[in-house]
Amino acid sequence: MPKNSKVTQREHSSEHVTESVADLLALEEPVDYKQSILNVAGEAGGKQKVADVEDRPAWNSKLQYILAQIGFSVGLGNIWRFPYLCQKNGGGAYLVPYLVLLIIIGIPLFFLELAVGQRIRRGSIGVWHYVCPRLGGIGFSSCIVCLFVGLYYNVIIGWSIFYFFKSFQYPLPWSECPVARNGTAAVVEPECEKSSATTYFWYREALDISNSISESGGLNWKMTLCLLVAWSIVGMAVVKGIQSSGKVMYFSSLFPYVVLACFLVRGLLLRGAVDGILHMFTPKLDKMLDPQVWREAATQVFFALGLGFGGVIAFSSYNKQDNNCHFDAALVSFINFFTSVLATLVVFAVLGFKANIMNEKCVVENAEKILGYLNTDVLSRALIPPHVNFSHLTTKDYAEMYKVIKTVKEDHFSALGLDPCLLEDELDKSVQGTGLAFIAFTEAMTHFPASPFWSVMFFLMLINLGLGSMIGTMAGITTPIIDTFKVPKEMFTVGCCVFAFFVGLLFVQRSGNYFVTMFDDYSATLPLTVIVILENVAVAWIYGTKKFMQELTEMLGFQPYRFYFYMWKFVSPLCMAVLTTASIIQLGVTPPGYSAWIKEEAAERYLYFPNWAMALLITLIVVAVLPIPVVFVLRHFHLLSDGSNTLSVSYKKGRMMKDISNLEENDETRFILSKVPSEAPSPMPTHRSYLGPGSTSPLETSGNPNGRYGSGYLLASTPESEL
């Protein structure tokens, strides 16, 4: 061995010696590398410890991982968005476009995200940097969208916490209107009298809402405390990464199904429940030809599975390399669909009961009007059928009496002010979102026997549904940042929660509900569709669908169906492009606005966002997608390294250690891989072929857990998070 070689020098020095791979292999004689470990990586950064793939945290069991994915994908939207869309868009007929789009968009793109996360074993930033460095901004955009969603989503959990604690009293505080004392007289609160007890409690007692988004009104201290509790719960759940969040998922993912099952059994025993379910699933086939129905179905599929957030990739990155992610994609997707249908049954069983209650109330009120007209001779008693008994008036008797009066008094009927009191009209009153959970459903529960118990169960279910989604959303932020920048996990996670709480104060002022509406409707919809289109394009058209399918075959041990090849290559990108175009057109045709609660009128009024709010709305969308073009431009003009020409090693006392330093234009990977630069390896890391359970790869010649080539080199692995 040459005396001036650096390998000789290291025997006489304790200092690190760093040299290029070309110099190392050109000057040195063959040495025994069996006691050395070489880690080749192309990522910019400082010196890092050699980390084997197995050092990355892993799920304790497959069940824990599946529950985490279910907890993330099954959220509040399954409870209060899907039933509304199903009712609005044709009842049972809506399930057809939803299932079709789930198969051609949902499952293929969900499988794609699971596969790249499991293959590369990084968060969203690292994954898209490896697949296509110029589109590395996709990962940063995902993190920003997760931040926007997490800010307002946890506010909804805070609302549920408020209602949860208010449920421990009988009667429930939203069951009756409050009575104010005016001297010796008791007066019902006018705002409540004009609306309803549950509506009044939501807008006045819970939110204490202002009349418009421009009227801040100061902080709502009750909701501020609830938001603090919500962020504390989320922080404790995610502070240890999957070690803590994985255990939480056993309860937060399974408990909602217990509650839904209990509500379904209880709901089916309620009078009028069957009316609600039949109304729900009666198909209106003409709706299937409406393009708007397909657009809303595609949007629901897209958001129901959590595509583009980065949470799916983050959770999948902690899997074993040979995990069957194809099975996971189909399983989680159909469990999500089953949950949506189950929730729809529960919602409309309860709303059917509520509709019957309200319809009977309508009959009683209008019967009193008719009795008044009979006593004042406005109406003749001859108009009343002889079998009608006003003390036990049924809806059928009232409908018959209403029809007779309307026919005879046709010219003056409108002056009587009688309502038809049709059950279908009550069932057609579409409610979604907070209107369903905090007004319609809470009103129905006031008529349940043991109503506080059911209220506690319902809001505890909402808290757990929200918590499961928040854990996935936080993973979409923390995992890629920790993987990429190696920041301390606990410190960064706590810092994120503290920062989010203070920014989230925007949503707990008296006008906060209007900001929740803005963020919910506009901050994520368009950016996420752009993100997922680019994810699809990066894998199918830049990295290559055939190449990706080969990678999957090696990883899974079997070749995925050719169906996925055509979906990824043609169908999914086209459908997503149409959805994005439709979303942009919808945004341009319908001026952005919100439903404001006007205290004096005790009613909602649709208002358009003022100019400053429009500027904020546009800023949210721009900020979310901005990293994509910025990173593309920086890497296209070589202003930001993509890591493709960084490869060298340093070593000390017989142990090779990774050191990153920029090489010259000649790609020196050829000295290791015996390839010209044009044949440089793909950005996907190399892994052993699947040979069946318990088998050993031919590339692994040592009993050391670090798999090696015959010459003793460690298999090139992706830099891992030290979670």
Side-chain angles (χ1 to χ4, degrees):
M1 183 178 295
K3 294 181 180 181
N4 61 347
S5 75
K6 294 181 181 179
V7 174
T8 303
Q9 292 174 14
R10 70 172 169 79
E11 299 293 340
H12 306 286
S13 173
S14 61
E15 297 180 358
H16 286 288
V17 181
T18 302
E19 60 182 308
S20 71
V21 176
D23 293 338
L24 176 66
L25 297 184
L27 296 176
E28 303 302 337
E29 297 175 2
V31 295
D32 183 9
Y33 290 106
K34 290 184 179 181
Q35 301 303 318
S36 301
I37 298 175
L38 175 63
N39 188 356
V40 182
E43 181 181 10
K47 296 182 180 181
Q48 301 172 5
K49 293 190 303 180
V50 176
D52 184 69
V53 171
E54 299 302 324
D55 289 340
R56 187 173 183 82
W59 298 102
N60 291 336
S61 65
K62 180 66 174 283
L63 175 62
Q64 190 180 78
Y65 163 68
I66 293 296
L67 289 178
Q69 291 286 14
I70 291 172
F72 176 52
S73 66
V74 175
L76 298 173
N78 296 77
I79 303 296
W80 64 33
R81 179 68 178 168
F82 185 89
Y84 162 76
L85 291 175
C86 202
Q87 178 195 22
K88 174 188 173 185
N89 295 320
Y94 174 74
L95 300 179
V96 175
Y98 186 87
L99 272 174
V100 169
L101 292 168
L102 179 66
I103 292 171
I104 66 174
I105 294 181
I107 295 178
L109 294 179
F110 191 60
F111 179 32
L112 183 146
E113 289 201 357
L114 290 179
V116 295
Q118 180 175 310
R119 180 65 171 168
I120 302 174
R121 308 203 73 193
R122 296 295 301 272
S124 57
I125 295 176
V127 160
W128 302 115
H129 169 76
Y130 274 104
V131 172
C132 178
R134 290 185 180 181
L135 291 180
I138 293 174
F140 290 99
S141 288
S142 292
C143 290
I144 293 173
V145 171
C146 282
L147 174 63
F148 288 163
V149 172
L151 286 174
Y152 77 83
Y153 205 87
N154 223 24
V155 174
I156 300 175
I157 298 178
W159 294 341
S160 302
I161 291 172
F162 175 79
Y163 269 79
F164 172 74
F165 285 110
K166 286 290 186 179
S167 298
F168 289 95
Q169 50 187 299
Y170 184 82
L172 292 171
W174 51 82
S175 60
E176 296 178 354
C177 285
V179 177
R181 287 286 176 183
N182 186 6
T184 58
V187 180
V188 177
E189 183 66 38
E191 186 180 2
C192 184
E193 190 174 23
K194 293 177 182 177
S195 53
S196 69
T198 50
T199 304
Y200 173 82
F201 187 87
W202 166 241
Y203 283 118
R204 192 54 51 209
E205 296 292 335
L207 300 181
D208 193 19
I209 200 165
S210 61
N211 284 356
S212 74
I213 195 172
S214 300
E215 301 175 23
S216 169
L219 289 178
N220 181 339
W221 67 268
K222 292 179 289 186
M223 288 305 168
T224 302
L225 290 177
C226 291
L227 180 63
L228 179 61
V229 172
W231 275 114
S232 300
I233 294 172
V234 171
M236 288 187 290
V238 301
V239 69
K240 295 291 185 182
I242 62 170
Q243 283 83 1
S244 57
S245 62
K247 296 179 177 64
V248 173
M249 286 297 182
Y250 283 112
F251 182 77
S252 66
S253 296
L254 294 176
F255 180 74
Y257 289 96
V258 175
V259 177
L260 284 174
C262 292
F263 263 99
L264 180 61
V265 173
R266 184 68 190 92
L268 291 175
L269 296 176
L270 295 172
R271 176 171 45 87
V274 176
D275 295 328
I277 293 174
L278 289 177
H279 178 80
M280 173 67 242
F281 287 104
T282 301
K284 304 176 182 67
L285 299 178
D286 57 305
K287 286 280 189 178
M288 291 178 59
L289 302 177
D290 186 354
Q292 180 72 3
V293 172
W294 288 82
R295 187 187 75 83
E296 292 189 345
T299 304
Q300 179 63 16
V301 167
F302 183 78
F303 285 104
L305 295 175
L307 300 175
F309 282 94
V312 172
I313 293 175
F315 284 156
S316 182
S317 70
Y318 300 115
N319 269 332
K320 295 179 180 179
Q321 284 289 316
D322 56 358
N323 174 63
N324 188 349
C325 56
H326 173 258
F327 172 78
D328 299 343
L331 177 65
V332 174
S333 298
F334 282 106
I335 288 178
N336 187 294
F337 174 69
F338 164 77
T339 307
S340 297
V341 174
L342 176 63
T344 301
L345 286 171
V346 171
V347 167
F348 278 90
V350 174
L351 292 184
F353 165 70
K354 174 179 174 287
N356 272 267
I357 295 291
M358 300 305 294
N359 195 53
E360 289 176 0
K361 183 179 178 181
C362 175
V363 168
V364 170
E365 291 176 351
N366 283 271
E368 290 177 354
K369 289 183 181 179
I370 293 175
L371 278 174
Y373 293 142
L374 292 174
N375 294 332
T376 57
D377 295 327
V378 175
L379 293 177
S380 171
R381 292 188 179 273
L383 299 177
I384 309 302
H387 64 275
V388 171
N389 184 354
F390 277 92
S391 60
H392 297 88
L393 189 64
T394 64
T395 54
K396 183 179 179 181
D397 289 341
Y398 174 79
E400 184 180 351
M401 187 167 54
Y402 176 87
K403 184 177 181 181
V404 171
I405 296 173
K406 185 177 181 180
T407 303
V408 175
K409 294 287 186 178
E410 184 175 359
D411 296 335
H412 308 286
F413 181 76
S414 59
L416 298 176
L418 297 177
D419 296 320
C421 296
L422 297 176
L423 183 62
E424 290 74 15
D425 292 343
E426 287 292 336
L427 291 170
D428 280 334
K429 292 180 179 178
S430 301
V431 286
Q432 64 166 324
T434 55
L436 174 63
F438 298 107
I439 298 177
F441 219 86
T442 52
E443 183 173 353
M445 287 188 295
T446 59
H447 301 287
F448 282 19
S451 55
F453 168 77
W454 294 104
S455 183
V456 167
M457 294 285 283
F458 176 71
F459 289 109
L460 187 58
M461 177 187 71
L462 291 188
I463 292 169
N464 280 276
L465 284 172
L467 180 60
S469 297
M470 274 301 300
I471 289 174
T473 302
M474 288 296 292
I477 301 173
T478 58
T479 298
I481 297 296
I482 293 171
D483 281 349
T484 304
F485 301 104
K486 304 298 178 185
V487 296
K489 178 180 55 183
E490 289 85 357
M491 185 183 301
F492 177 71
T493 303
V494 172
C496 275
C497 292
V498 173
F499 170 78
F501 167 72
F502 283 105
V503 176
L505 294 178
L506 172 71
F507 304 100
V508 291
Q509 56 184 337
R510 290 183 58 199
S511 60
N513 186 48
Y514 306 136
F515 286 98
V516 171
T517 300
M518 176 193 292
F519 274 66
D520 188 32
D521 291 344
Y522 303 105
S523 70
T525 305
L526 188 57
L528 280 179
T529 52
V530 173
I531 288 170
V532 175
I533 286 177
L534 293 178
E535 287 180 355
N536 197 166
V537 169
V539 171
W541 289 92
I542 299 177
Y543 186 74
T545 310
K546 289 184 179 179
K547 189 176 181 181
F548 185 58
M549 293 287 281
Q550 291 172 352
E551 297 272 359
L552 289 181
T553 302
E554 176 188 348
M555 182 174 72
L556 300 176
F558 62 88
Q559 184 175 0
Y561 299 119
R562 293 289 293 176
F563 163 80
Y564 291 105
F565 177 91
Y566 296 108
M567 293 300 106
W568 288 333
K569 190 79 172 178
F570 305 109
V571 179
S572 294
L574 178 61
C575 291
M576 291 303 301
V578 171
L579 177 60
T580 304
T581 304
S583 299
I584 295 173
I585 293 174
Q586 181 74 13
L587 191 62
V589 171
T590 306
Y594 61 101
S595 292
W597 178 259
I598 310 301
K599 180 178 181 179
E600 293 73 21
E601 301 173 6
E604 289 184 340
R605 184 194 301 170
Y606 190 81
L607 302 177
Y608 296 119
F609 285 117
N611 292 335
W612 64 266
M614 284 294 298
L616 175 60
L617 186 154
I618 295 171
T619 301
L620 291 174
I621 297 174
V622 171
V623 168
V625 299
L626 189 61
I628 298 174
V630 168
V631 171
F632 181 88
V633 171
L634 291 177
R635 284 184 171 156
H636 180 75
F637 293 101
H638 307 293
L639 300 175
L640 178 67
S641 173
D642 61 6
S644 61
N645 64 338
T646 56
L647 185 66
S648 68
V649 296
S650 67
Y651 46 88
K652 177 182 177 181
K653 293 188 182 298
R655 179 178 177 86
M656 295 255 180
M657 297 169 58
K658 183 178 70 176
D659 180 30
I660 304 301
S661 59
N662 292 326
L663 300 182
E664 301 299 329
E665 293 182 359
N666 294 328
D667 188 350
E668 295 180 309
T669 57
R670 65 185 185 275
F671 289 99
I672 286 184
L673 303 176
S674 300
K675 293 183 179 182
V676 296
S678 62
E679 297 172 328
S682 76
M684 288 289 192
T686 306
H687 298 287
R688 64 181 177 84
S689 299
Y690 181 85
L691 300 175
S695 61
T696 304
S697 169
L699 296 177
E700 296 174 353
T701 59
S702 171
N704 192 299
N706 296 328
R708 297 172 185 166
Y709 294 106
S711 61
Y713 292 141
L714 172 69
L715 276 169
S717 65
T718 61
E720 303 298 346
S721 166
E722 297 179 23
L723 283 171

